[in-house]
Amino acid sequence: MKAFRGPKVWLWRWRRNPLRRRADVVEAWLLLAAWLLTVVTGVLAGLLAARSVEHGLARERADWRPTVARVVARAPGRTTAAGSGGERVWAEVRWTAPDGENHTGQARVAPGSRAGTPVTVWTDPRGHLVSRPTTPSEAAFRGTLTGVLVGVTAAAVPLFGGLALRSRLERRRLAHWDAEWARLGPQWGRMTG
């Protein structure tokens, strides 16, 4: 099909030309609108998603607090003379929430930690265990990554819609050309013979 199109001329649908049809102008405006909608949708969705993620992570940083917990029973594993080398094991710990209520849960501690060993854990305002909150730079990275993914996904909807519309307009135009050729083609055969 591409062999019949000829060289690519930019903005040909908007140029003054006696062969330009109304359908060409309509198609040009629809495609321009689809591209603009794709860009605007992608950018806005991406920015909103990134802002939402960063805001949620900032709220966690503000609400979550480090709390001192104590190991309930000796942690599995052996303590080495040189230290744990960064390895941690799960052990049961107990802490007191801001409202004075005692809580227990699982936390990562150094191997072989004895009962009563203090461990820093993070808790939410209700005193429940949570993971360490993200740093501002980690939050910015997560927000950016989420924004890019959401933006690309949201932009795909109008993009594929525009491509589908263009394909439909192309099929319709070819059907009109076929109908015209079926009507006028036999007259050309008589003129050359």
Side-chain angles (χ1 to χ4, degrees):
M1 191 50 131
K2 198 167 190 151
F4 297 110
R5 290 189 182 170
K8 186 92 169 166
V9 178
W10 289 97
L11 304 175
W12 68 271
R13 288 179 174 93
W14 280 289
R15 292 183 180 186
R16 296 217 180 270
N17 182 339
L19 299 177
R20 182 184 70 180
R21 295 161 301 196
R22 183 171 184 231
D24 295 331
V25 176
V26 169
E27 180 181 352
W29 283 108
L30 287 173
L31 291 177
L32 179 63
W35 278 108
L36 287 174
L37 188 60
T38 297
V39 170
V40 169
T41 300
V43 169
L44 287 179
L47 289 174
L48 288 173
R51 185 172 161 214
S52 175
V53 167
E54 287 185 40
H55 178 71
L57 294 174
R59 191 173 56 245
E60 286 178 359
R61 273 194 310 280
D63 291 345
W64 295 358
R65 297 279 175 243
T67 304
V68 176
R70 304 258 175 213
V71 176
V72 174
R74 183 175 174 88
R78 263 177 44 178
T79 337
T80 60
S84 63
E87 290 184 31
R88 299 289 212 184
V89 295
W90 289 101
E92 188 172 355
V93 295
R94 177 172 291 143
W95 69 97
T96 303
D99 62 2
E101 185 179 338
N102 285 328
H103 292 275
T104 59
Q106 294 285 317
R108 305 278 266 165
V109 299
S113 295
R114 296 177 189 201
T117 304
V119 178
T120 301
V121 295
W122 288 86
T123 59
D124 64 11
R126 296 179 306 197
H128 296 112
L129 276 182
V130 292
S131 60
R132 178 187 60 83
T134 59
T135 64
S137 61
E138 290 170 340
F141 176 74
R142 282 188 193 179
T144 301
L145 184 61
T146 302
V148 167
L149 292 174
V150 168
V152 167
T153 303
V157 173
L159 174 68
F160 289 124
L163 291 175
L165 179 64
R166 181 175 187 215
S167 174
R168 183 178 170 103
L169 290 172
E170 183 83 19
R171 283 194 309 272
R172 185 172 179 223
R173 182 174 41 251
L174 289 175
H176 285 297
W177 283 352
D178 285 344
E180 280 292 308
W181 184 252
R183 189 174 63 85
L184 296 175
Q187 293 176 3
W188 280 47
R190 279 183 274 154
M191 292 170 46
T192 60

